[in-house]
């Protein structure tokens, strides 16, 4: 497949939102920013970077037991750090020939999350960090953006700061969420050199599922180079997907997010949350 043929499907992606939030000094660099920049360049898309800072003043000040004056000092430092990240990202984008706009809101944390989720409705997709150090905060951003925006999210693990989509795992359990994710990810699936449908499902879910072999012709008609692999989930669905992604050296895992109700996910765990805690490749998620 030539470079021109490979890049053409990505031209369907016209605008990308990257959301980051500065919660403290000395944080590791955001992988989502680098990933979003390189994806925007590959797709010829517009890039928007929201580099927010978490304000401690007001209702959040109690978290660090700060008085109002101390919280205000920290707020100013975090604001400056968020602006420096935005400025550096804008410079990198200009050097790469990517049209980029930046925003640097300073808000209490719940408002950062809500604003990001609303804004995500205006873009083809949103790219967020899935870091392990601030897992609960990252997960909340990812979950709320998925549930409230109606748009897909790419969750980028630490170190995956360069976009690639040559080899893709499509996690298939026959659910409506999996079908929605595959459709939303079609530009990536069409541009990939190899797509492997990995069919893993719990025994109680098999009766209601559409087998991967039945779904594959739909992808082939869209020009996707696809193979189907049925894998016994003896190690659990999440670990099975991790293993398959490592074997394929996958650049991306596409999956429907939160098939079960959030309450069940909370009490019984879930494939989505397990992979967000540790994935060998960026996760393309749709709900």
């Amino acid at each position: 497949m030539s470079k021109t043929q490979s890049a053409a499907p990505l031209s369907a992606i016209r605008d990308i939102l990257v959301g980051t939030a500065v919660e403290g000094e000395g944080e590791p660099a955001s992988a989502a920013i680098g990933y979003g920049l390189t994806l925007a360049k590959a797709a010829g898309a517009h890039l928007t970077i929201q580099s927010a800072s978490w304000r401690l003043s007001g209702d959040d000040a109690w978290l660090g037991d700060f008085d109002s004056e101390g919280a205000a000092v920290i707020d100013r430092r975090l604001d400056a750090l968020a602006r420096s990240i935005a400025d550096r990202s804008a410079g990198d984008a200009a050097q790469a020939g990517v049209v980029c706009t930046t925003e640097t809101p300073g808000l209490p944390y719940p408002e950062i999350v809500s604003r990001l989720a609303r804004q995500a409705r205006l873009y083809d997709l949103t790219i967020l960090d899935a870091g392990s150090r601030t897992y609960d905060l990252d997960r909340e951003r990812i979950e709320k953006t998925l549930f409230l925006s109606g748009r897909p999210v790419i969750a980028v693990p630490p170190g995956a700061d360069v976009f690639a989509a040559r080899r893709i795992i499509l996690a298939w359990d026959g659910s409506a969420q999996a079908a929605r994710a595959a459709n939303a990810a079609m530009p990536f699936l069409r541009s990939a050199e190899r797509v492997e449908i990995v069919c893993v499902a719990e025994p109680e879910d098999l009766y209601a599922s559409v087998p991967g072999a039945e779904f594959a012709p739909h992808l082939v008609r869209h020009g996707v180079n696809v193979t189907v692999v049925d894998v016994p989930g003896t190690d659990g669905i999440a670990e099975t997907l991790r293993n398959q992604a490592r074997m394929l050296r996958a650049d991306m895992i596409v999956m429907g997010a939160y098939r079960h109700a959030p309450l069940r996910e909370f009490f019984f765990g879930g494939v989505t949350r397990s992979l967000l805690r540790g994935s060998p490749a960026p996760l393309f998620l749709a709900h």
Side-chain angles (χ1 to χ4, degrees):
M1 183 180 294
S2 70
K3 183 177 180 181
T4 300
Q5 289 173 315
S6 177
L10 295 181
S11 64
I13 301 169
R14 304 317 306 143
D15 46 24
I16 298 166
L17 174 64
V18 175
T20 67
V22 177
E23 297 148 14
E25 297 178 280
E27 294 181 356
S30 165
I33 292 177
Y35 188 93
L37 174 58
T38 50
L39 171 54
K41 182 174 178 60
H46 182 279
L47 178 66
T48 297
I49 295 176
Q50 183 190 108
S51 178
S53 58
W54 179 3
R55 286 194 176 274
L56 287 176
S57 54
D59 293 340
D60 287 337
W62 65 271
L63 290 171
D65 196 24
F66 299 112
D67 57 29
S68 58
E69 183 176 352
V73 170
I74 292 176
D75 285 346
R76 288 194 294 272
R77 283 160 48 186
L78 295 184
D79 285 347
L81 181 57
R83 285 194 299 273
S84 71
I85 292 171
D87 292 343
R88 184 169 61 251
S89 300
D92 292 342
Q95 189 173 8
V98 172
V99 179
C100 177
T101 56
T102 61
E103 302 176 355
T104 57
L107 299 166
Y109 184 76
E111 293 180 34
I112 290 177
V113 175
S114 298
R115 186 179 188 276
L116 176 67
R118 291 194 304 269
Q119 192 176 9
R121 299 169 189 168
L122 310 177
Y123 293 84
D124 289 322
L125 60 89
T126 298
I127 300 174
L128 302 172
D129 285 295
S132 55
R133 191 174 66 83
T134 55
Y135 167 68
D136 288 336
L137 302 179
D138 286 343
R139 189 194 68 204
E140 184 178 1
R141 280 193 287 267
I142 292 166
E143 289 181 353
K144 287 201 172 181
T145 301
L146 277 170
F147 281 108
L148 299 180
S149 74
R151 300 290 194 175
V153 168
I154 298 180
V156 182
D161 54 356
V162 177
F163 164 74
R166 294 179 300 274
R167 297 175 295 275
I168 297 177
I169 291 285
L170 172 57
W172 182 256
D173 62 0
S175 66
Q177 286 85 349
R180 190 173 297 118
N183 184 69
M186 195 64 75
F188 300 104
L189 301 180
R190 291 183 60 214
S191 69
E193 297 171 3
R194 180 178 177 185
V195 174
E196 191 172 276
I197 300 178
V198 178
C199 302
V200 186
E202 299 288 2
E204 64 269 22
D205 292 330
L206 288 175
Y207 76 94
S209 68
V210 177
E214 292 186 9
F215 185 63
H218 169 71
L219 297 180
V220 171
R221 295 180 194 114
H222 280 274
V224 179
N225 182 17
V226 63
T227 57
V228 181
V229 178
D230 291 303
V231 184
T234 52
D235 295 328
I237 295 175
E239 190 59 31
T240 299
L241 289 172
R242 286 190 192 96
N243 291 336
Q244 286 298 118
R246 294 186 188 106
M247 289 173 58
L248 185 63
R249 291 179 295 129
D251 300 306
M252 179 185 289
I253 299 173
V254 174
M255 61 182 291
Y258 301 102
R259 175 177 177 181
H260 301 300
L263 188 62
R264 178 175 169 184
E265 289 276 350
F266 179 81
F267 286 110
F268 296 100
V271 176
T272 309
R273 286 187 172 178
S274 179
L275 284 169
L276 285 173
R277 288 189 182 96
S279 173
L283 300 171
F284 182 102
L285 304 170
H287 177 72

